[in-house]
Every structure is written in C-alpha cells, then in structure tokens.
Amino acid sequence: MSLTFAELLAQNKGSIVQELAQMVKVQAGPTYASVPLEQLLPRMEEVFDYTYEAIAQDDPRILRGFVVAVVSQRVAERYALQEIQTLISLLREIVLRYLEEAYQDDPPQHLDNARQLEDLAHHARQAAFEVYIESFEEQSEVQRRALAEISTPVIRVYENVLVLPLVGAIDTERAHRIMEELLTGITHHQAELVIIDITGVPLVDTAVANHLLQTIKAARLLGTRSILVGISSEVAQALVHLQIDISGVVTRSNLQAGIEYALEQMGLEIAPQAEILLPAAQEKHLESEEGHPPAQRR
Amino acid sequence: MATELIRIPILQIEDFLVASIQVALHDRSAVQFRDDLLQRTYETKARGLIIDLTAVDIVDSFIGRLIGDVAEMAALMGTRVVVSGLRPAVAITLTELGLELPGVITALNLEKGITILRRLVQEDEEMEGSEP
C-alpha cells in the first residue's frame, strides 16, 4: 500500500482512458456521441495526461491551462458547456473509484487524495465555465454592435438629401446614437435636407418626441432642414394628446411625399418619361424590339 | 486674469464680412470678438455677416449665447447673419444646453453660407425696391 496518487494513476492509465472514452461517448451528450471512439481515445488520453501531471506536481494550473486552450476550441465547435462539465465529472468519478479501491485501508490518505482530486475538478470546471462565459459575452458584444450599426442607417437617396429610417423602439441611449450618426452623416454628405421616417417606430411618447425634436434642432444648427414622415394615426393622436408641439417641423404622410417635397425644395421634380406618356409609341417600340406583334403579348 | 486676449480677424469680401474662429475662445476674447464684429459691421455697412465655426470643437453656454446675441444685434443694424460649419458635437452640445439659436440662419459650410447670404440680401433688396 505504498503507491502514491500519481503512481496509481500511471499504473491504471490504459483502463482509465478506455473507460472515460466509453462513458463520455455514451453519457456526455450529442456532440461527443457523434465522435468515433478511435478519435475520442487520443483526446481522452490527453485529458488524462494533463490530469496526471497536475496531480503529480500538485499544481492545478497545469490542467487549467490545458482546459482553457481546449475548451476555447470546443466552443468554436459548438460543444455545449454541459458536455464539457459532464466529461470532467465522469473523469472525477472514475478516478475516485480507483482511489477508493486502492486506499480502502488508509482513510486519512484517501481523504487527502480525494481532496486533491476535488480541488482539481473544481479548477477544471471553473476554467471551462469562464471560457464559455467569456465567449458568450464576446458574442453578445459583437451582436450588440451589429445591431447598433443596422439600427441607425443614414442613407443618401439623392444629392444633398438623406433618409433616416427609424425602426423599433427608441430609448435615450439609442436616441443619442441616432443624433450622432445623423449629424455625422450630414457633415459627411453635406446634406441640405434630411427625411426622418418614423413609420417603424411603434410608440412615440414625450421622451421620444423630445429626442426627435432635439435631433431636428441640432441638424438645423448644422444648416440642414428636416422633414418628418410616416407619422401613423396612433402617433398623431399621441402627439396631440401629449400636447407636443411640432409645428416648427415640416411633416409629410410618407417617405414618397417626403422625397417629393425635398426635391421640390431643390427645384427638382420626378416626371414621367415622355415616351411612356404615349402608349402607342411604347407598343411600337416593344414590337420592333422583340420582333413579334403586340397581340401575342399577354 | 493672465490669459492673453485673442483677436479674431474679420475679413471683408464685397458686401460681406467673414469671421472664422480658429481657436478656442475664452470669455474675454469672445466679448472682444463681439465688439469688434459689431464695430466693423457699423463701419463697413456690410449687408451680410458670416461666422464660420468649422474649426471650433468646443462651445460652452457663454459662447453659444454670444453667437445668438451677435446675430440679433447685427439684425438690428440691418445686417443678415449666417453661422456656418458647426460640427456635430457642437450642435449636440448647443441643443443639450437649450441654445438652439432660433434667430440664426445656419449653413453647412462657408461656401453654402455665402450662397444663402447672397440670396437673402437679394431678397432684401427686392423688398426694399418694391416698397416705395
């Protein structure tokens, strides 16, 4: 009964790895289940080697470093956190069983070893957990930024005319971003007119209206006029009920009317092409182009 | 106060005066600027005045109010005032301070400012011509 913990592990390496691989394949979860056993074996051997090193040198950091590196890769391969946690638990269980057998007659030593094993398992779990949390935070940050980018598109529809289509609820933080994006867009494009389309804004309360008015005033300071379009009947009712005065702002029913107004302000208009005004000429044009009479056309 | 007094150059182009602020103004320099501007307007009998703020990246409530004041005072003297080239950050600051410069005409840049000013002065002249 003179074997140390590390020696015990070394002696039983083959059977522990074999057992672990089989249990992981069956119990750990769908992603592990889909991995063939011959591929799983070398991976479990690696896990075992690092565990052995950590126990032999009594330094959980050895295993920790390995866990961080491997789990980062597993996250990318879409392993669930639960699967990783199960793997750690399974290894712990197997090793604990070997310990129990070997140290039946030496409870104090068994307790020491078990404590070391628990400590190691705890470190490994925590490391795996941290990697997952970190990757989730990263992911949600990327998504948040992507959402912020698409939530305030400033589109140039014509020379000197910008459109700002707003979709979704507007809170204070978003309102600030909208203002910044719009004003930057204005100076970038040197736009003289901005059409703010609020068709997609479901709710306009005093705060939202105030933010919009502030944005319009700030745009005016740059030397740009704003046109507010897409006020729905509900929003119009709300504005009147809340006694919000937007009389200083040009409003139009929809984006089309807004664009027409903007062009008019610049002395331009959208006019039909002369050709389309004359249906006969158009038919003739089609006929000569496609080579068959208009009667055959549906 | 040991701060040096900064004088903003005021240039005359045809009928217009152009003042481009290139440095951060402290209060005393700003007051000096206002006085200079009004004095020059009086002397030259300029029809229009452009204050260009392209190079200004910080504006406080005092300067904001002062610009509004200059516009009103110049209007009393029969001069049209256009403020050009406000930066987004400055515009945001001014609206947050509640200084929306309601009486001031704004332009995106100096060139557009001059175009607007020409049009305004022309309108004024036409009105004057039709009055008697």
Side-chain angles (χ1 to χ4, degrees), chain A residues 90-101:
Chain A
L90 286 172
L91 179 59
R92 171 189 159 274
E93 250 169 66
I94 295 166
V95 175
L96 199 61
R97 210 171 55 235
Y98 277 90
L99 279 178
E100 268 165 13
E101 267 172 43

Side-chain angles (χ1 to χ4, degrees), chain A residues 160 176 179-180 183-187 189-193 213-224, chain B residues 83 85-92 94-96 98-109 112 116:
Chain A
N160 297 337
H176 276 282
M179 194 194 263
E180 269 169 41
L183 298 192
T184 327
I186 287 172
T187 44
H189 294 287
Q190 294 287 299
E192 285 174 11
L193 287 149
L213 288 177
Q214 283 234 327
T215 305
I216 289 169
K217 282 171 185 166
R220 197 197 69 86
L221 281 178
L222 297 185
T224 303
Chain B
V83 174
L86 251 85
R87 291 199 184 182
V90 173
I92 292 172
L94 287 179
T95 46
E96 274 169 2
L99 294 168
E100 287 131 11
L101 310 183
V104 181
I105 294 156
T106 47
L108 281 162
N109 52 42
K112 285 184 178 170
I116 291 171

Side-chain angles (χ1 to χ4, degrees), chain A residues 204-210 213 235-236 238-247:
Chain A
V204 175
D205 55 15
T206 41
V208 173
N210 205 27
L213 288 177
V235 171
L239 288 178
V240 172
H241 276 303
L242 295 169
Q243 300 189 325
I244 297 164
D245 182 24
I246 58 163
S247 55

